[in-house]
Amino acid sequence: MRGTGLVAGLGLLLALAMGQEEKALEAGSCQPRASCRDCIRSQPSCAWCKALNFTKAGESDATRCASRGELLQRGCALKEVVEARNRHQVLEDAPLSDSAEQETVTQLAPQKIALWLRPGEQHSFSVRFKRAKGYPVDVYYLMDLSYSMKDDLENIKKLGNDLLAALRNITKSVKIGFGSFVDKTVLPYVSTVPAKLRNPCPDRYEQCDSPVSFRHVLPLTDDASEFESRVSQQRISGNLDSPEGGFDAIVQVAVCEKQIGWRNVTRLLVFTSDDVFHTAGDGKLGGIYLPNDNQCHLDTDGLYSKSHIYDYPSVGHLAQVLSASNVQPIFAVTGSTLPVYQVRVGAGRGRSWGRRRGGSLTHPASTPLQELSRQIPKSVVGELKEDSSNVVQLISDAYNSLSSTVNLEHFHLPPGVSVAYESHCEDATRSLGGHGGVCSGVRINQLVNFTVTVKADTCLEGPHTFALRVLGFTEEVHVELQTLCECPCSQPEPHATHCSGGHGTLTCGVCSCSPDRAGKLCECKLADTTYLEEGCRGRNGTGLLCNGKGQCVCGHCQCNSNVRGQYCECDDTSCERHDGQLCAGQGQCQCGSCLCDKGYTGSACDCSLDTSACLQDGVECSGHGRCLCNKCQCQPGYFDRLCSWCPGCQTPCEEHRDCADCKAFGTGPLSQNCSTVCNHTTATVLPEPAVSEQWCREKTEDGRILLFLIEGTDGGTVRLTVKAKDAVTGQTSMIVLGLVLGIVVIGLLIIIAYRISVEVLDRREYMRFEKERERARGNEVNNPLYRSATTTVINPRYNED
């Protein structure tokens, strides 16, 4: 039974120790760890001392794990402190280019960085960007060919030379391509009547092309004549509903890089339309429920062949595809549609049906919850004239806006890693975003710097790589990330002399003993440890081994974490707690007693010696208490933080009322001993003083209102000014008499008014009664036309014979 009780006691002590350790860990402090590896992984502030003779008697090797400052304070030499420090190394850093005419154009530096991070700590490095003059541009023109864009198509056929000329003012290397879209070729988006599929124009005598979801017409080229020739062959088409399938076309343009002919340069997608767009979920109206698969599905004729299988992409999906393909969209839309692309519109409303310019029935698309350009990074929206006559100027302005905005973002970030940015834009405008660093209004050859801060929350298995890229440019900064989760000690020393002449392996200052050896320094044989336990039972040889707070090894106690002493008698976690913190967080626990920091006292260091919270206007606790642990201890009857409220105490007016009454008029409860009780008071009676708000108005025992003023003290004497008694009594009597007379008069007036109204009503009723009587007399014998009522009854059994 005794052994069972000891085991239970040991279990309780261990549970309490573990609970205290967990609370300390929650507070973020560095706790002892059994090995250097565990120490490095525990807290960012933890370090390990590898000095050979660092621990004292009774201390376990776990106490080698502490903060750097604590280890130095305990005598560990700086060169013996082992800690994993964040660092980075630039592996590639080519100089930035001034012009795109150089053989190798570099706009983002450095190109490759190696980064070592300790979990929980952040590390920063710099990234530079400079716009090179004349950087090449690819422009793909994606046009809505629904019937309402008929007049726009005629102008687009002529703009090839103008568009290339405008862009060549910015850069010499420009290529342009063309594609068109209408909508999915299923109901209810287009009419599936064969005749309407062949010619969807509202006028059957007008020739239109069959509707398509997307048609890739011309790969990117620098030949303006070819652009105009291929575009001139295009004809208008048509569909049923108002929203168009432009999102399907955008995805195909972005992912079909080989068919479009995209180069590793600035990529612009000009999207022109005069109506709203379909988004994810709208495909269910046509029985299409599979989500967009983000793959290229262009056939040999350049047509999107899987539009009837895959649904429209969502706005988020579209933004992801464009960002991954490094394509910057320019939404050129007409004024009537501009609000859908720029401002918040209603969501969740029912579909309303109407008629579009082409004459077909329409229904609106699922409108975006926020402006489209905000949801898609590096995109702009411009207002297109009804006939697209301003499209060249619109594209030129949009390109200038996009190219002058530098947005650095990260891609392929490992789990548990976060990145923050700080932009240094000089004359440009800085914008702090949640996902990247942004500078607007950046000029050509203007240097922009970003401070990138990376933090890893957990240990990562092996090296990981992520990329930093300026949106709209193909160059990337490749970051090779490794987490520091291993102890950076020297190689283990087997059969080390320090370990009792070669009976163990020395690693980071700690001996790992051979299988047959034990002890801190492997100093005893494992078979002899039982006979040495008496040296761990205290001075009288009785009690628990190492006081139940450690292990007996080779006759010496190896104490648990936060416990020390020859017999583990000193527990540095057993001190009193306040608000869940050991020694209130304002002292150090040493052998069960709190050693308080300067300015604190008490058994738990919970009592502050400061008195600032007790003072107001230099008075401590309003003169009605004393300051204890920076809190007021009030006298009986006083409350509040500063003992300034006393609900049961008399006011100054109540305190001096009886003395004013007896001193001025010789009346009141103190009239018999007024000279004794009120010897500190003098009273002056005035017949008609100027009464203000400072005057006291107190009711005496005989019902009078006593008016007096407390003017102050003079050598300990209180001076009172009292209003004359007669004046007060007369004024009161007049007030009372006036109130009584007023009530009586008002009551009489009410009674008189009531009686008059009753009399008038009675007279009216009597006159009505008399008129009714006169009218009844005209129906009797005095009326010559009067005939009384006669009733004749015939008896069928009566026989006259």
Side-chain angles (χ1 to χ4, degrees):
M1 294 297 292
R2 181 181 178 184
T4 305
L6 291 175
V7 172
L10 282 171
L12 179 60
L13 290 173
L14 288 173
L16 289 174
M18 291 177 65
Q20 292 171 348
E21 183 176 356
E22 289 176 357
K23 289 182 180 179
L25 283 175
E26 290 176 359
S29 60
C30 184
Q31 295 296 307
R33 294 289 184 231
S35 66
C36 180
R37 182 175 182 268
D38 294 339
C39 180
I40 294 299
R41 292 190 173 202
S42 60
Q43 292 289 337
S45 61
C46 289
W48 181 269
C49 182
K50 65 178 182 178
L52 297 181
N53 299 314
F54 175 71
T55 55
K56 300 177 182 178
E59 289 184 343
S60 67
D61 285 322
T63 59
R64 293 175 178 270
C65 183
S67 64
R68 168 198 277 252
E70 183 179 347
L71 292 177
L72 295 176
Q73 185 180 4
R74 288 166 54 189
C76 182
L78 181 60
K79 64 179 181 179
E80 303 291 348
V81 176
V82 178
E83 54 184 339
R85 306 299 296 270
N86 294 337
R87 67 186 189 276
H88 75 273
Q89 180 180 356
V90 177
L91 303 180
E92 293 183 18
D93 191 9
L96 299 176
S97 305
D98 294 329
S99 174
E101 297 180 357
Q102 300 177 9
E103 182 178 354
T104 302
V105 179
T106 303
Q107 301 181 101
L108 186 64
Q111 291 77 44
K112 194 172 184 179
I113 294 177
L115 178 62
W116 292 269
L117 283 181
R118 185 170 179 178
E121 285 189 330
Q122 60 185 24
H123 186 71
S124 300
F125 56 88
S126 297
V127 173
R128 311 183 308 278
F129 178 82
K130 184 169 68 172
R131 287 178 58 195
K133 183 178 180 181
Y135 194 71
V137 178
D138 285 349
V139 180
Y140 192 87
Y141 198 96
L142 183 60
M143 183 175 181
D144 175 10
L145 285 187
S146 57
Y147 191 79
S148 55
M149 294 286 287
K150 179 180 178 181
D151 52 349
D152 302 76
L153 180 60
E154 297 303 321
N155 283 324
I156 299 300
K157 292 178 180 179
K158 308 171 186 177
L159 64 74
N161 284 318
D162 295 339
L163 181 55
L164 284 176
L167 292 175
R168 281 172 180 163
N169 290 331
I170 303 172
T171 175
K172 294 180 180 181
S173 179
V174 181
K175 287 190 176 183
I176 187 170
F178 184 82
S180 63
F181 67 91
V182 180
D183 212 335
K184 294 182 183 295
T185 54
V186 296
L187 279 174
Y189 316 110
V190 301
S191 174
T192 56
V193 176
K196 280 292 186 181
L197 281 176
R198 290 190 299 270
N199 185 13
C201 286
D203 186 356
R204 61 179 181 175
Y205 298 106
E206 185 177 5
Q207 292 299 316
C208 290
D209 277 347
S210 298
V212 293
S213 179
F214 167 63
R215 176 184 284 116
H216 171 48
V217 177
L218 176 66
L220 293 166
T221 178
D222 56 1
D223 190 344
S225 299
E226 184 181 3
F227 178 85
E228 291 184 353
S229 174
R230 297 291 293 273
V231 174
S232 63
Q233 299 173 12
Q234 305 305 306
R235 291 189 300 182
I236 209 69
S237 186
N239 59 331
L240 289 179
D241 65 342
S242 174
E244 317 296 1
F247 279 13
D248 270 346
I250 293 176
V251 171
Q252 292 302 302
V253 172
V255 300
C256 299
E257 295 191 10
K258 183 178 179 181
Q259 292 85 339
I260 301 299
W262 291 116
R263 299 177 293 171
N264 287 329
V265 297
T266 299
R267 301 174 178 179
L268 300 181
L269 171 62
V270 181
F271 178 92
T272 61
S273 180
D274 67 342
D275 225 317
V276 292
F277 44 83
H278 280 297
T279 59
D282 287 353
K284 293 181 180 180
L285 294 174
I288 303 172
Y289 59 89
L290 290 178
N292 194 287
D293 66 346
N294 199 25
Q295 298 297 321
C296 180
H297 295 294
L298 295 184
D299 59 17
T300 55
D301 295 328
L303 298 177
Y304 178 31
S305 59
K306 298 296 180 71
S307 66
H308 61 291
I309 296 177
Y310 296 109
D311 192 8
Y312 303 98
S314 65
V315 175
H317 185 187
L318 190 68
Q320 181 182 7
V321 170
L322 290 172
S323 179
S325 302
N326 209 22
V327 175
Q328 304 174 73
I330 300 173
F331 296 101
V333 295
T334 55
S336 59
T337 315
L338 196 64
V340 178
Y341 290 81
Q342 281 192 324
V343 298
R344 183 181 178 90
V345 293
R349 294 176 288 186
R351 298 180 183 271
S352 60
W353 295 81
R355 189 168 293 273
R356 67 179 302 175
R357 287 194 290 171
S360 302
L361 288 176
T362 66
H363 66 82
S366 300
T367 53
L369 294 180
Q370 294 180 356
E371 57 186 70
L372 184 63
S373 60
R374 181 179 298 176
Q375 295 297 303
I376 300 179
K378 286 302 287 281
S379 64
V380 293
V381 179
E383 183 175 358
L384 189 69
K385 291 186 177 179
E386 292 295 330
D387 58 356
S388 298
S389 58
N390 67 326
V391 68
V392 174
Q393 185 62 42
L394 188 152
I395 295 174
S396 179
D397 294 342
Y399 171 73
N400 290 329
S401 175
L402 288 172
S403 60
S404 64
T405 300
V406 179
N407 189 343
L408 182 67
E409 292 195 356
H410 51 265
F411 299 89
H412 314 299
L413 201 63
V417 178
S418 58
V419 181
Y421 301 85
E422 183 178 357
S423 308
H424 307 282
C425 307
E426 295 184 1
D427 297 335
T429 302
R430 180 175 64 177
S431 175
L432 296 178
H435 186 64
V438 181
C439 285
S440 302
V442 178
R443 304 182 304 275
I444 293 177
N445 286 334
Q446 177 182 346
L447 183 64
V448 176
N449 291 288
F450 296 95
T451 299
V452 182
T453 303
V454 186
K455 180 181 179 182
D457 296 327
T458 58
C459 291
L460 301 176
E461 295 296 333
H464 288 71
T465 301
F466 66 93
L468 303 175
R469 186 177 71 203
V470 174
L471 296 184
F473 298 86
T474 57
E475 298 174 61
E476 293 182 343
V477 177
H478 296 278
V479 182
E480 296 179 354
L481 172 64
Q482 295 187 57
T483 50
L484 299 173
C485 296
E486 300 297 332
C487 202
C489 289
S490 56
Q491 293 294 326
E493 182 184 347
H495 308 292
T497 305
H498 180 70
C499 300
S500 298
H503 291 293
T505 300
L506 183 64
T507 305
C508 291
V510 179
C511 287
S512 299
C513 300
S514 303
D516 60 338
R517 306 291 292 189
K520 199 171 187 179
L521 300 177
C522 309
E523 65 270 22
C524 65
K525 294 181 180 180
L526 192 62
D528 298 337
T529 56
T530 305
Y531 304 103
L532 300 174
E533 289 184 354
E534 292 300 325
C536 300
R537 295 188 182 276
R539 302 185 184 280
N540 54 6
T542 60
L544 296 174
L545 290 175
C546 302
N547 287 305
K549 299 177 182 179
Q551 296 180 349
C552 184
V553 180
C554 298
H556 300 285
C557 287
Q558 288 190 358
C559 305
N560 298 332
S561 301
N562 299 309
V563 180
R564 53 191 173 86
Q566 183 179 359
Y567 303 106
C568 302
E569 70 277 8
C570 189
D571 188 350
D572 289 339
T573 60
S574 60
C575 292
E576 188 175 344
R577 294 175 179 268
H578 180 73
D579 290 338
Q581 293 188 3
L582 203 64
C583 298
Q586 296 156 171
Q588 295 182 351
C589 182
Q590 293 187 356
C591 293
S593 300
C594 286
L595 182 63
C596 300
D597 297 339
K598 185 178 181 180
Y600 292 92
T601 187
S603 59
C605 300
D606 57 337
C607 184
S608 174
L609 298 177
D610 185 20
T611 61
S612 59
C614 301
L615 299 177
Q616 186 177 33
D617 298 331
V619 180
E620 184 177 291
C621 300
S622 303
H624 303 297
R626 62 190 184 94
C627 190
L628 183 63
C629 299
N630 209 19
K631 293 181 180 179
C632 283
Q633 301 292 325
C634 301
Q635 297 174 355
Y638 287 90
F639 302 94
D640 202 359
R641 182 178 66 87
L642 295 173
C643 306
S644 57
W645 183 48
C646 181
C649 299
Q650 287 185 330
T651 64
C653 291
E654 293 174 340
E655 182 181 354
H656 295 286
R657 176 192 59 195
D658 293 338
C659 287
D661 195 12
C662 72
K663 282 284 187 177
F665 310 115
T667 57
L670 301 180
S671 58
Q672 301 299 324
N673 55 351
C674 184
S675 58
T676 304
V677 177
C678 302
N679 59 352
H680 62 286
T681 304
T682 61
T684 303
V685 180
L686 298 179
E688 291 294 336
V691 179
S692 62
E693 294 182 355
Q694 286 76 25
W695 283 64
C696 297
R697 292 170 173 82
E698 295 293 329
K699 189 176 182 180
T700 61
E701 290 184 346
D702 55 359
R704 293 178 293 107
I705 301 300
L706 185 65
L707 299 178
F708 61 94
L709 176 64
I710 304 173
E711 291 185 317
T713 59
D714 185 10
T717 301
V718 179
R719 300 193 309 274
L720 302 177
T721 302
V722 186
K723 190 173 182 179
K725 182 176 181 180
D726 294 337
V728 173
T729 304
Q731 183 179 6
T732 304
S733 301
M734 292 298 294
I735 293 174
V736 174
L737 180 61
L739 289 174
V740 172
L741 290 177
I743 293 172
V744 171
V745 171
I746 292 173
L748 290 175
L749 291 176
I750 292 173
I751 294 173
I752 293 172
Y754 173 75
R755 291 301 304 160
I756 291 174
S757 61
V758 171
E759 184 67 23
V760 171
L761 290 175
D762 287 347
R763 289 181 179 275
R764 287 181 180 177
E765 290 296 325
Y766 180 75
M767 294 296 293
R768 188 179 295 121
F769 172 73
E770 289 296 329
K771 288 181 180 180
E772 291 294 332
R773 288 184 60 189
E774 291 296 329
R775 190 177 299 155
R777 288 177 182 174
N779 295 331
E780 297 178 354
V781 294
N782 292 333
N783 189 347
L785 300 178
Y786 174 75
R787 295 290 185 273
S788 62
T790 303
T791 304
T792 304
V793 180
I794 301 175
N795 188 351
R797 294 183 174 275
Y798 175 73
N799 190 353
E800 294 181 354
D801 298 335

